[in-house]
């Protein structure tokens, strides 16, 4: 394995934000400091001036569609997209075909994932077959290697079943990651319910669907004392509910995705299904609430909900499946919205996109200190680029950010001490 010396880089993690050199050797950080000598000419020297080095990002909400829907994505193409976006660890949601409700399938997937260079984790299902009827065997799923439990893509239909799921998950020592939606309220809705859905004459998804089930699950977490993480928060109501449950002492957390702090449902006037996901783009007031939630710590993580679908599947605005890819744009979108506007420091972004998700999943939180894994990214904070769907590494190109310009580009991704991705113009 090559020994790599990164010179004059801005090193950013929970412990530091300082200009220095970083030496990577045998898959670990061997030294960090000023003027590290390149004694050995076999070193690869990387000029880090103008770049920031951070621990590789961890995205705790992705869909790799593997097994069963690999025409959209698989563990290899999903991992390539992750590496291009500076994401070196992921939690895959279990709505695969068949769903991840059995230990054999989890083991087989995790074994294949080891070859990707990405730290791939898998969530097991909360209910057998994602049917919302019977709970899966959490102890067996844990023994097979799952990191969390979720029925993401579908809600758990009743409070009673969710309480039982939380109680069993607590016994198994696994966090529950909850997709909060009331299908009776949704009633076939395809975009946010409001002025835009009315103008288009399409059925809307009322925010009450998200807000009420978020409240229900938070109450169940408070009652059982189990660890609950609320998925893809998109409304003022659910942000406020999480804030209250945290103040009440719940072992609760939540996440949002860049589209919820950058975009609104006005975009749906284009009648392009690439702007459709679940939960849907909301209103300027929700964008404001999500932004406040990130700034005051109510929202713990920025994830992507990377949900690949093919162009054919997305062709019909009304019938297309929900979901957008996001792994290759999440850091750039976050830097543009929060760092370049002066709302957050780089260390805050490392906390939202590495430290918090790993802490919530009980995984080791990395820093750039000696002895830590050589899993890091080099980012040109000031490089401006325009999102071109055809240049994405994902098998699907359904990005909600197509044509948008961001400032901040991942230039290199290193995992296990090896260079896995280099940006090429
Ligand atoms: O937009 C979404 N797509 N939301 C989900 O909850 C599921 C996901 C998918 O699997 O496509």
């Amino acid at each position: 394995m090559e020994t790599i010396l990164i010179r004059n880089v801005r090193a950013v993690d929970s412990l530091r934000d300082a200009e220095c050199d970083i030496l990577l050797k045998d898959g670990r950080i061997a030294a960090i400091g000023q003027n590290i000598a390149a004694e050995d000419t076999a070193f690869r020297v990387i000029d880090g001036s103008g770049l920031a080095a951070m621990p590789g990002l961890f995205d705790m909400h992705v869909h790799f569609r593997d097994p069963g829907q690999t025409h959209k994505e698989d563990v290899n193409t999903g991992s390539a997209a992750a590496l291009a976006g500076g994401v070196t660890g992921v939690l895959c949601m279990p709505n695969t075909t068949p769903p991840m409700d059995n230990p054999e399938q989890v083991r087989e997937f995790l074994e294949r994932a080891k070859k990707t260079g990405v730290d791939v984790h898998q969530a097991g299902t909360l209910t057998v077959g994602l049917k919302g009827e019977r709970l899966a065997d959490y102890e067996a799923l844990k023994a097979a290697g799952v990191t969390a439990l979720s029925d993401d893509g579908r809600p758990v239909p009743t409070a009673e079943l969710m309480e039982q799921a939380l109680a069993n998950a607590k016994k198994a020592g696994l966090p529950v990651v909850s997709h909060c939606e009331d299908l009776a309220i949704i009633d076939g809705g395809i975009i946010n319910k409001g002025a835009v859905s009315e103008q288009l004459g399409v059925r809307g998804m009322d925010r009450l669907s998200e807000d009420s089930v978020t409240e229900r699950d938070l109450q169940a977490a408070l009652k059982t004392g189990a660890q609950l993480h609320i998925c893809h928060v998109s409304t003022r109501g659910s942000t406020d509910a999480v804030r209250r449950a945290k103040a009440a002492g719940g072992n609760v957390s939540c996440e949002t995705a860049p589209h919820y702090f950058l975009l609104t449902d006005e975009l749906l006037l284009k009648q392009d299904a690439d702007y459709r996901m679940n939960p849907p783009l909301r209103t300027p007031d929700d964008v404001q609430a999500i932004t406040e939630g990130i700034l005051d710590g109510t929202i713990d993580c920025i994830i992507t909900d990377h949900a690949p679908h093919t162009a054919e599947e997305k062709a019909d605005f009304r019938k297309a499946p929900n979901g957008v890819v996001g792994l290759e744009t999440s850091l750039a979108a976050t830097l543009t919205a929060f760092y370049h506007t002066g709302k957050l420091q780089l260390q805050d972004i490392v906390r939202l996109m590495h430290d918090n998700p790993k802490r919530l999943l009980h995984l080791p939180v990395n820093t750039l200190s000696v002895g830590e894994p050589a899993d890091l990214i080099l980012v040109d904070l000031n490089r401006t680029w325009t999102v071109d769907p055809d240049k994405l590494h994902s098998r699907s190109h359904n990005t909600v950010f197509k044509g948008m310009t961001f400032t901040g580009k991942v230039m290199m991704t290193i995992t296990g001490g090896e260079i896995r991705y280099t940006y090429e113009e």
Side-chain angles (χ1 to χ4, degrees), residues 378-390:
L378 298 180
V379 184
D380 184 342
L381 297 170
N382 295 315
R383 182 182 277 255
T384 293
W385 61 289
T386 300
V387 178
D388 176 351
D390 293 335

Side-chain angles (χ1 to χ4, degrees), residues 63 65 95 152-153 179 232 277-278 305 307 309 322-323:
H63 299 267
R65 311 294 191 209
N95 61 341
D152 183 64
H179 170 114
H232 40 52
M277 75 294 288
N278 184 22
D305 196 0
H309 296 292
N322 289 310

Side-chain angles (χ1 to χ4, degrees), residues 56-128:
L57 309 177
F58 194 99
D59 186 340
M60 66 178 290
H61 193 136
V62 304
H63 299 267
F64 276 3
R65 311 294 191 209
D66 192 338
Q69 302 157 57
T70 51
H71 63 291
K72 299 176 195 255
E73 195 79 289
D74 64 34
V75 73
N76 296 311
T77 57
S79 296
L83 292 168
V87 175
T88 62
V90 294
L91 177 66
C92 297
M93 290 298 129
N95 61 341
T96 50
T97 312
M100 288 283 184
D101 61 6
N102 69 89
E104 295 70 37
Q105 188 174 318
V106 169
R107 281 200 183 89
E108 188 277 330
F109 174 74
L110 289 175
E111 195 52 42
R112 275 192 292 124
K114 281 185 189 157
K115 300 185 193 89
T116 59
V118 173
D119 183 24
V120 177
H121 292 262
Q122 179 64 50
T125 66
L126 285 167
T127 68
V128 174

